[in-house]
Coordinates of all heavy atoms in Angstrom, one line a residue:
M77 N 101.3 15.0 111.5 CA 100.5 16.2 111.8 C 100.6 16.4 113.3 O 100.3 15.6 114.1 CB 99.0 15.9 111.5 CG 98.6 16.5 110.2 SD 96.8 16.5 110.0 CE 96.7 15.7 108.5
S78 N 100.9 17.6 113.7 CA 101.0 17.9 115.1 C 99.9 18.8 115.7 O 99.8 18.9 116.9 CB 102.4 18.7 115.4 OG 102.4 19.9 114.7
G79 N 99.1 19.3 114.8 CA 98.0 20.1 115.2 C 98.4 21.5 115.7 O 99.6 21.9 115.5
I80 N 97.5 22.3 116.2 CA 97.8 23.6 116.7 C 97.1 23.9 118.0 O 96.1 23.2 118.3 CB 97.4 24.8 115.7 CG1 95.9 24.8 115.4 CG2 98.2 24.6 114.4 CD1 95.5 25.9 114.5
S81 N 97.6 24.8 118.8 CA 97.0 25.0 120.1 C 95.7 25.8 120.0 O 95.4 26.5 119.0 CB 98.0 25.8 121.0 OG 98.0 27.2 120.5
K82 N 94.9 25.6 121.0 CA 93.6 26.2 121.1 C 93.8 27.7 121.1 O 93.1 28.5 120.4 CB 92.9 25.8 122.3 CG 91.6 26.5 122.7 CD 91.0 26.0 124.0 CE 89.9 26.8 124.4 NZ 89.3 26.4 125.7
E83 N 94.8 28.2 121.8 CA 95.0 29.6 121.9 C 95.5 30.2 120.6 O 95.0 31.3 120.2 CB 96.1 29.9 123.0 CG 95.7 29.6 124.4 CD 95.7 28.1 124.7 OE1 96.3 27.3 123.9 OE2 95.1 27.7 125.7
L84 N 96.3 29.5 119.8 CA 96.8 30.0 118.5 C 95.6 30.1 117.5 O 95.4 31.1 116.8 CB 97.9 29.1 117.9 CG 98.4 29.5 116.5 CD1 98.9 30.9 116.5 CD2 99.4 28.5 116.0
L85 N 94.8 29.1 117.5 CA 93.6 29.1 116.6 C 92.7 30.2 117.0 O 92.2 30.9 116.1 CB 92.9 27.7 116.7 CG 91.7 27.6 115.8 CD1 92.1 27.7 114.3 CD2 91.0 26.2 116.0
E86 N 92.4 30.4 118.3 CA 91.5 31.5 118.7 C 92.1 32.9 118.3 O 91.4 33.7 117.7 CB 91.3 31.5 120.2 CG 90.4 32.5 120.7 CD 90.1 32.5 122.2 OE1 90.2 31.4 122.8 OE2 89.7 33.5 122.7
Q87 N 93.4 33.1 118.5 CA 94.1 34.3 118.1 C 94.0 34.6 116.6 O 93.7 35.7 116.2 CB 95.5 34.3 118.6 CG 96.3 35.5 118.3 CD 97.8 35.3 118.8 OE1 98.3 34.3 118.7 NE2 98.3 36.4 119.3
T88 N 94.2 33.5 115.9 CA 94.2 33.6 114.4 C 92.8 34.0 113.9 O 92.7 34.9 113.1 CB 94.7 32.3 113.8 OG1 96.0 32.0 114.2 CG2 94.6 32.4 112.3
L89 N 91.8 33.3 114.4 CA 90.4 33.6 114.0 C 90.0 35.1 114.4 O 89.4 35.8 113.6 CB 89.4 32.7 114.7 CG 89.5 31.2 114.2 CD1 88.8 30.3 115.1 CD2 89.1 31.1 112.8
R90 N 90.4 35.5 115.6 CA 90.1 36.9 116.0 C 90.8 37.9 115.1 O 90.1 38.9 114.6 CB 90.6 37.2 117.4 CG 89.7 36.6 118.5 CD 90.1 37.1 119.9 NE 89.4 36.4 120.9 CZ 88.2 36.7 121.3 NH1 87.5 37.6 120.8 NH2 87.6 35.9 122.2
K91 N 92.0 37.7 114.8 CA 92.8 38.7 114.0 C 92.4 38.7 112.5 O 92.1 39.7 112.0 CB 94.3 38.3 114.1 CG 95.2 39.3 113.4 CD 96.6 39.0 113.6 CE 97.5 39.9 112.9 NZ 98.9 39.5 112.9
K92 N 92.4 37.5 111.9 CA 92.1 37.4 110.5 C 90.7 37.7 110.1 O 90.4 38.1 109.0 CB 92.5 36.0 109.9 CG 94.0 35.8 109.9 CD 94.4 34.6 109.2 CE 95.9 34.4 109.1 NZ 96.3 33.1 108.4
L93 N 89.7 37.4 111.0 CA 88.3 37.6 110.7 C 87.7 38.8 111.4 O 86.5 39.0 111.4 CB 87.5 36.3 111.0 CG 88.0 35.1 110.1 CD1 87.4 33.9 110.6 CD2 87.6 35.4 108.7
E94 N 88.5 39.6 112.1 CA 88.1 40.7 112.9 C 86.9 40.3 113.8 O 85.9 41.0 113.9 CB 87.7 41.9 111.9 CG 88.8 42.3 111.0 CD 88.3 43.2 109.9 OE1 87.3 43.9 110.1 OE2 89.0 43.2 108.9
A95 N 87.0 39.2 114.4 CA 86.0 38.6 115.2 C 85.9 39.3 116.6 O 86.9 39.6 117.2 CB 86.2 37.1 115.5
E96 N 84.6 39.6 117.0 CA 84.4 40.2 118.3 C 84.2 39.1 119.3 O 84.3 39.4 120.5 CB 83.3 41.2 118.2 CG 81.9 40.6 117.8 CD 80.9 41.7 117.6 OE1 81.1 42.6 116.8 OE2 79.9 41.6 118.3
Y97 N 83.9 37.9 118.9 CA 83.8 36.8 119.9 C 84.2 35.5 119.2 O 83.8 35.2 118.0 CB 82.3 36.6 120.3 CG 82.1 35.5 121.2 CD1 82.4 35.5 122.6 CD2 81.5 34.3 120.8 CE1 82.2 34.4 123.4 CE2 81.3 33.2 121.6 CZ 81.7 33.3 122.9 OH 81.5 32.2 123.8
V98 N 85.0 34.7 119.9 CA 85.5 33.4 119.3 C 85.5 32.5 120.5 O 86.0 32.8 121.6 CB 86.9 33.5 118.8 CG1 87.4 32.1 118.4 CG2 87.0 34.5 117.6
E99 N 84.9 31.3 120.3 CA 84.9 30.2 121.2 C 85.5 29.0 120.6 O 85.0 28.6 119.5 CB 83.5 29.9 121.7 CG 83.4 28.8 122.7 CD 81.9 28.6 123.2 OE1 81.2 29.6 123.4 OE2 81.6 27.4 123.3
V100 N 86.5 28.5 121.1 CA 87.2 27.3 120.6 C 87.2 26.2 121.6 O 87.6 26.4 122.7 CB 88.7 27.7 120.2 CG1 89.4 26.4 119.7 CG2 88.8 28.8 119.2
V101 N 86.7 25.0 121.1 CA 86.6 23.9 122.0 C 87.4 22.8 121.4 O 87.2 22.4 120.2 CB 85.1 23.4 122.2 CG1 85.1 22.1 123.0 CG2 84.3 24.5 122.8
D102 N 88.4 22.3 122.1 CA 89.3 21.2 121.6 C 88.5 19.9 121.8 O 88.3 19.5 123.0 CB 90.6 21.2 122.4 CG 91.6 20.1 121.9 OD1 91.2 19.2 121.2 OD2 92.8 20.2 122.3
T103 N 88.1 19.2 120.8 CA 87.4 18.0 120.8 C 88.3 16.8 120.6 O 87.8 15.7 120.4 CB 86.2 18.0 119.8 OG1 86.7 18.2 118.5 CG2 85.2 19.1 120.2
S104 N 89.6 17.0 120.6 CA 90.5 15.9 120.3 C 91.1 15.3 121.6 O 92.0 14.4 121.5 CB 91.7 16.5 119.5 OG 92.5 17.4 120.2
G105 N 90.7 15.7 122.7 CA 91.2 15.2 124.0 C 92.6 15.8 124.3 O 93.3 15.2 125.1
G106 N 92.8 17.0 123.7 CA 94.0 17.7 124.1 C 95.2 17.6 123.1 O 96.2 18.3 123.3
C107 N 95.1 16.9 122.0 CA 96.2 16.8 121.1 C 96.2 17.9 120.0 O 97.2 17.9 119.3 CB 96.2 15.4 120.5 SG 95.0 15.1 119.2
G108 N 95.2 18.7 120.0 CA 95.2 19.8 119.0 C 94.9 19.4 117.6 O 95.3 20.1 116.7
Q109 N 94.1 18.4 117.4 CA 93.8 17.9 116.1 C 92.4 18.1 115.6 O 92.0 18.0 114.5 CB 94.1 16.4 116.0 CG 95.6 16.1 115.9 CD 96.2 16.5 114.6 OE1 95.6 16.3 113.5 NE2 97.3 17.2 114.6
S110 N 91.5 18.5 116.6 CA 90.1 18.6 116.3 C 89.5 19.7 117.1 O 89.6 19.7 118.4 CB 89.4 17.2 116.6 OG 88.0 17.3 116.3
Y111 N 88.8 20.6 116.4 CA 88.2 21.8 117.2 C 86.8 22.1 116.6 O 86.5 21.9 115.5 CB 89.0 23.0 116.9 CG 90.4 23.0 117.6 CD1 91.5 22.7 116.9 CD2 90.5 23.3 119.0 CE1 92.7 22.7 117.5 CE2 91.7 23.3 119.6 CZ 92.8 22.9 118.9 OH 94.1 22.9 119.5
D112 N 85.9 22.5 117.6 CA 84.6 23.1 117.3 C 84.8 24.6 117.6 O 85.3 24.9 118.7 CB 83.5 22.5 118.1 CG 83.1 21.1 117.7 OD1 83.6 20.6 116.6 OD2 82.4 20.4 118.5
V113 N 84.4 25.4 116.7 CA 84.5 26.9 116.9 C 83.2 27.6 116.6 O 82.4 27.2 115.8 CB 85.7 27.5 116.1 CG1 87.0 26.8 116.4 CG2 85.4 27.4 114.6
I114 N 83.1 28.7 117.4 CA 82.0 29.7 117.1 C 82.7 31.0 116.9 O 83.6 31.4 117.6 CB 81.1 29.8 118.4 CG1 80.3 28.5 118.6 CG2 80.1 31.0 118.1 CD1 79.5 28.5 119.9
I115 N 82.3 31.6 115.8 CA 83.0 32.9 115.4 C 81.9 33.9 115.1 O 80.9 33.7 114.4 CB 83.8 32.7 114.0 CG1 84.7 31.5 114.1 CG2 84.5 34.0 113.7 CD1 85.1 31.0 112.8
V116 N 82.0 35.1 115.8 CA 81.1 36.2 115.6 C 81.8 37.4 115.0 O 82.8 37.8 115.7 CB 80.4 36.6 116.9 CG1 79.4 37.7 116.7 CG2 79.7 35.4 117.6
S117 N 81.4 37.8 113.9 CA 82.2 38.9 113.2 C 81.2 39.7 112.3 O 80.4 39.1 111.6 CB 83.3 38.4 112.4 OG 84.0 39.4 111.7
K118 N 81.4 41.0 112.2 CA 80.7 41.9 111.3 C 81.0 41.6 109.9 O 80.3 41.9 109.0 CB 81.0 43.3 111.6 CG 80.5 43.8 112.9 CD 80.9 45.3 113.1 CE 80.4 45.7 114.5 NZ 80.8 47.1 114.8
I119 N 82.2 40.9 109.7 CA 82.6 40.6 108.3 C 81.7 39.6 107.6 O 81.7 39.5 106.4 CB 84.1 40.0 108.4 CG1 84.8 40.2 107.0 CG2 84.1 38.6 108.8 CD1 86.3 40.0 107.1
F120 N 80.8 38.9 108.4 CA 79.9 38.0 107.9 C 78.6 38.6 107.5 O 77.7 37.9 106.9 CB 79.6 36.9 108.9 CG 80.8 36.0 109.4 CD1 80.9 35.7 110.7 CD2 81.7 35.6 108.4 CE1 82.0 34.9 111.1 CE2 82.8 34.8 108.8 CZ 82.9 34.5 110.1
E121 N 78.4 39.9 107.7 CA 77.1 40.6 107.3 C 76.8 40.3 105.8 O 77.7 40.5 105.0 CB 77.3 42.1 107.6 CG 77.4 42.5 109.0 CD 76.2 42.4 109.8 OE1 75.1 42.2 109.3 OE2 76.3 42.5 111.1
G122 N 75.6 40.0 105.5 CA 75.1 39.8 104.2 C 75.6 38.6 103.5 O 75.4 38.4 102.3
K123 N 76.2 37.6 104.2 CA 76.7 36.4 103.6 C 75.9 35.2 104.0 O 75.4 35.2 105.1 CB 78.2 36.2 104.0 CG 79.2 37.2 103.4 CD 80.6 36.9 103.8 CE 81.6 37.8 103.2 NZ 81.2 39.1 102.8
S124 N 75.7 34.3 103.1 CA 75.0 33.0 103.4 C 75.9 32.2 104.3 O 77.1 32.4 104.5 CB 74.7 32.3 102.1 OG 75.9 31.8 101.5
V125 N 75.4 31.1 104.9 CA 76.2 30.2 105.7 C 77.3 29.6 104.9 O 78.5 29.6 105.3 CB 75.3 29.0 106.2 CG1 76.1 28.0 106.9 CG2 74.2 29.6 107.2
L126 N 77.1 29.2 103.6 CA 78.1 28.7 102.8 C 79.2 29.7 102.6 O 80.4 29.4 102.6 CB 77.5 28.2 101.5 CG 78.6 27.7 100.5 CD1 79.3 26.5 101.0 CD2 77.9 27.3 99.1
Q127 N 78.8 31.0 102.3 CA 79.8 32.0 102.0 C 80.7 32.3 103.3 O 81.9 32.5 103.2 CB 79.1 33.3 101.6 CG 78.6 33.2 100.2 CD 77.7 34.4 99.8 OE1 77.0 34.9 100.7 NE2 77.8 34.9 98.6
K128 N 80.0 32.3 104.5 CA 80.8 32.4 105.7 C 81.8 31.3 105.9 O 82.9 31.6 106.2 CB 79.8 32.5 106.9 CG 78.9 33.7 107.0 CD 78.1 33.5 108.3 CE 76.7 34.0 108.0 NZ 75.8 33.8 109.2
H129 N 81.4 30.1 105.7 CA 82.3 29.0 105.9 C 83.4 29.0 104.9 O 84.6 28.7 105.2 CB 81.5 27.7 105.8 CG 80.7 27.4 107.0 ND1 80.3 26.1 107.3 CD2 80.1 28.2 107.9 CE1 79.6 26.1 108.4 NE2 79.4 27.4 108.8
Q130 N 83.1 29.4 103.6 CA 84.2 29.5 102.6 C 85.2 30.6 103.0 O 86.4 30.4 102.8 CB 83.6 29.8 101.3 CG 82.8 28.6 100.7 CD 82.1 29.0 99.4 OE1 81.6 30.1 99.2 NE2 81.9 28.0 98.5
L131 N 84.7 31.7 103.5 CA 85.5 32.8 104.0 C 86.5 32.3 105.1 O 87.7 32.6 105.0 CB 84.7 34.0 104.4 CG 85.5 35.2 104.9 CD1 86.4 35.8 103.9 CD2 84.5 36.3 105.4
V132 N 85.9 31.7 106.1 CA 86.7 31.1 107.2 C 87.8 30.1 106.7 O 88.9 30.2 107.0 CB 85.9 30.5 108.3 CG1 86.7 29.8 109.3 CG2 85.0 31.5 108.9
N133 N 87.3 29.2 105.9 CA 88.2 28.2 105.3 C 89.3 28.8 104.5 O 90.5 28.3 104.6 CB 87.4 27.2 104.5 CG 86.5 26.3 105.3 OD1 86.6 26.3 106.6 ND2 85.5 25.7 104.7
E134 N 89.0 29.8 103.7 CA 90.1 30.4 102.8 C 91.0 31.2 103.7 O 92.2 31.2 103.5 CB 89.4 31.2 101.7 CG 90.4 31.8 100.8 CD 91.2 30.8 100.0 OE1 90.7 29.7 99.7 OE2 92.4 31.1 99.7
T135 N 90.5 32.0 104.6 CA 91.3 32.9 105.4 C 92.2 32.2 106.3 O 93.3 32.6 106.6 CB 90.3 33.9 106.2 OG1 89.5 34.5 105.3 CG2 91.1 34.9 107.0
C136 N 91.8 31.1 106.9 CA 92.6 30.3 107.8 C 93.0 29.0 107.3 O 93.2 28.0 108.0 CB 91.7 30.1 109.1 SG 91.2 31.6 109.9
K137 N 93.3 28.9 106.0 CA 93.6 27.7 105.3 C 94.8 27.0 105.9 O 94.8 25.8 106.1 CB 93.9 28.0 103.8 CG 94.1 26.8 102.9 CD 94.6 27.1 101.5 CE 93.5 27.9 100.8 NZ 93.8 28.0 99.4
S138 N 95.9 27.7 106.2 CA 97.1 27.1 106.7 C 96.9 26.5 108.1 O 97.4 25.4 108.4 CB 98.3 28.0 106.7 OG 98.1 29.1 107.5
E139 N 96.1 27.1 108.9 CA 95.8 26.6 110.2 C 94.9 25.4 110.2 O 95.2 24.4 110.8 CB 95.2 27.7 111.1 CG 96.1 28.9 111.5 CD 96.3 29.9 110.4 OE1 95.5 29.9 109.4 OE2 97.1 30.8 110.5
I140 N 93.9 25.5 109.3 CA 92.9 24.4 109.2 C 93.6 23.1 108.6 O 93.3 22.0 109.0 CB 91.7 24.8 108.4 CG1 90.9 25.9 109.2 CG2 90.8 23.6 108.1 CD1 89.8 26.5 108.4
A141 N 94.6 23.4 107.7 CA 95.3 22.3 107.1 C 96.0 21.4 108.1 O 96.3 20.2 107.8 CB 96.2 22.8 106.0
Q142 N 96.4 22.0 109.3 CA 97.1 21.2 110.3 C 96.2 20.4 111.2 O 96.7 19.7 112.1 CB 97.9 22.2 111.2 CG 98.9 23.0 110.4 CD 99.6 24.0 111.3 OE1 100.1 23.7 112.3 NE2 99.5 25.3 111.0
L143 N 94.9 20.5 111.0 CA 93.9 19.8 111.8 C 93.3 18.6 111.2 O 93.2 18.5 109.9 CB 92.8 20.8 112.2 CG 93.2 22.1 112.8 CD1 92.0 23.0 113.0 CD2 93.9 21.8 114.1
H144 N 92.9 17.7 112.0 CA 92.1 16.5 111.5 C 90.7 16.8 111.3 O 90.1 16.4 110.3 CB 92.3 15.3 112.5 CG 91.5 14.1 112.2 ND1 91.8 13.3 111.1 CD2 90.3 13.6 112.7 CE1 90.9 12.3 111.0 NE2 90.0 12.5 112.0
A145 N 90.1 17.6 112.2 CA 88.7 18.0 112.1 C 88.5 19.4 112.5 O 89.1 19.9 113.5 CB 87.8 17.1 112.9
F146 N 87.6 20.2 111.8 CA 87.3 21.6 112.1 C 85.9 21.8 111.9 O 85.4 21.7 110.7 CB 88.2 22.5 111.2 CG 88.0 24.0 111.5 CD1 88.6 24.6 112.5 CD2 87.2 24.7 110.6 CE1 88.4 26.0 112.8 CE2 87.0 26.1 110.8 CZ 87.6 26.7 111.9
S147 N 85.1 22.1 112.9 CA 83.7 22.4 112.8 C 83.4 23.8 113.2 O 83.9 24.2 114.2 CB 82.9 21.4 113.7 OG 81.5 21.7 113.7
Q148 N 82.7 24.6 112.3 CA 82.5 26.0 112.6 C 81.0 26.4 112.6 O 80.3 25.8 111.8 CB 83.3 26.8 111.6 CG 82.8 26.7 110.2 CD 83.5 27.6 109.3 OE1 83.3 28.8 109.3 NE2 84.2 27.1 108.3
K149 N 80.7 27.3 113.5 CA 79.5 28.0 113.4 C 79.8 29.5 113.4 O 80.5 30.0 114.2 CB 78.6 27.7 114.7 CG 78.2 26.3 114.7 CD 77.3 26.0 115.9 CE 76.9 24.5 115.9 NZ 76.2 24.2 117.1
S150 N 79.4 30.2 112.3 CA 79.7 31.5 112.1 C 78.5 32.4 112.1 O 77.5 32.1 111.4 CB 80.4 31.6 110.7 OG 81.5 30.7 110.6
Y151 N 78.6 33.5 112.9 CA 77.4 34.4 113.1 C 77.8 35.8 112.9 O 78.9 36.2 113.2 CB 76.9 34.2 114.5 CG 76.4 32.9 114.9 CD1 77.2 32.0 115.7 CD2 75.2 32.4 114.5 CE1 76.8 30.8 116.1 CE2 74.7 31.1 114.9 CZ 75.5 30.3 115.7 OH 75.1 29.1 116.0
T152 N 76.9 36.6 112.5 CA 77.0 38.1 112.6 C 76.7 38.4 114.0 O 76.1 37.6 114.7 CB 76.0 38.8 111.6 OG1 74.7 38.6 112.1 CG2 76.2 38.4 110.2
P153 N 77.0 39.6 114.5 CA 76.7 40.0 115.9 C 75.2 39.9 116.1 O 74.8 39.4 117.2 CB 77.2 41.5 116.0 CG 78.3 41.5 115.0 CD 77.9 40.6 113.9
A154 N 74.3 40.3 115.2 CA 72.9 40.2 115.4 C 72.4 38.8 115.4 O 71.6 38.4 116.3 CB 72.1 41.0 114.2
Q155 N 73.0 37.9 114.6 CA 72.6 36.5 114.6 C 73.0 35.9 115.9 O 72.3 35.0 116.5 CB 73.3 35.8 113.5 CG 72.7 36.1 112.1 CD 73.5 35.5 111.0 OE1 74.7 35.4 111.1 NE2 72.9 35.3 109.9
W156 N 74.2 36.3 116.5 CA 74.7 35.7 117.7 C 73.8 36.1 118.9 O 73.5 35.3 119.7 CB 76.1 36.2 117.9 CG 76.7 35.7 119.2 CD1 77.2 36.4 120.2 CD2 76.9 34.3 119.6 NE1 77.7 35.6 121.2 CE2 77.5 34.3 120.9 CE3 76.6 33.1 119.0 CZ2 77.8 33.2 121.6 CZ3 76.9 31.9 119.7 CH2 77.5 32.0 121.0
E157 N 73.3 37.4 118.9 CA 72.4 37.9 119.9 C 71.1 37.1 119.9 O 70.6 36.7 120.9 CB 72.2 39.4 119.8 CG 73.3 40.2 120.3 CD 73.7 39.9 121.7 OE1 72.8 39.8 122.6 OE2 74.9 39.8 122.0
A158 N 70.6 36.9 118.7 CA 69.4 36.1 118.5 C 69.6 34.7 119.0 O 68.7 34.1 119.6 CB 68.9 36.1 117.1
Q159 N 70.7 34.1 118.7 CA 71.0 32.7 119.1 C 71.1 32.6 120.6 O 70.5 31.7 121.2 CB 72.4 32.3 118.5 CG 72.8 30.9 118.8 CD 72.0 29.8 118.0 OE1 71.3 30.2 117.0 NE2 72.0 28.6 118.5
K160 N 71.7 33.6 121.3 CA 71.8 33.6 122.7 C 70.4 33.7 123.3 O 70.1 33.1 124.3 CB 72.7 34.7 123.2 CG 74.2 34.4 122.9 CD 75.1 35.3 123.6 CE 74.9 36.8 123.4 NZ 75.9 37.7 124.0
Q161 N 69.6 34.6 122.7 CA 68.2 34.8 123.2 C 67.4 33.5 123.1 O 66.6 33.1 124.0 CB 67.5 35.9 122.5 CG 68.0 37.3 122.7 CD 67.8 37.7 124.2 OE1 66.8 37.4 124.8 NE2 68.8 38.4 124.7
K162 N 67.6 32.8 122.0 CA 66.9 31.5 121.8 C 67.3 30.5 122.8 O 66.5 29.7 123.3 CB 67.2 31.0 120.4 CG 66.2 30.0 119.9 CD 66.4 29.5 118.5 CE 67.4 30.1 117.6 NZ 67.5 29.5 116.3
Q163 N 68.6 30.5 123.2 CA 69.1 29.5 124.2 C 68.6 29.8 125.6 O 68.4 28.9 126.4 CB 70.6 29.5 124.2 CG 71.2 28.9 122.9 CD 72.7 29.0 122.8 OE1 73.3 29.7 123.7 NE2 73.3 28.4 121.8
T164 N 68.3 31.0 125.9 CA 67.8 31.4 127.3 C 66.3 31.3 127.4 O 65.8 31.4 128.5 CB 68.3 32.8 127.7 OG1 67.8 33.8 126.8 CG2 69.8 32.8 127.7
S165 N 65.6 31.1 126.3 CA 64.1 31.1 126.3 C 63.6 29.7 126.7 O 64.2 28.7 126.4 CB 63.5 31.5 125.0 OG 64.0 32.6 124.4

């Protein structure tokens, strides 16, 4: 397993999920095997957390298959704004 680059993962998430914000953190020490991601997309509107995760996992199946670990937080734009407000309070 060679992993994938942070940039490629970010680009893939933006394109395939029509994400307006993506944050990718390489937690593998630079080898490209483990990532924590935040994804903000209108495509998540009306979906439960489980449905969002399933959508990401299915849509990016080939990229995720190259990784050892993939942790995601998926938000709608409104949820993301609320999350940011909560962090600044």
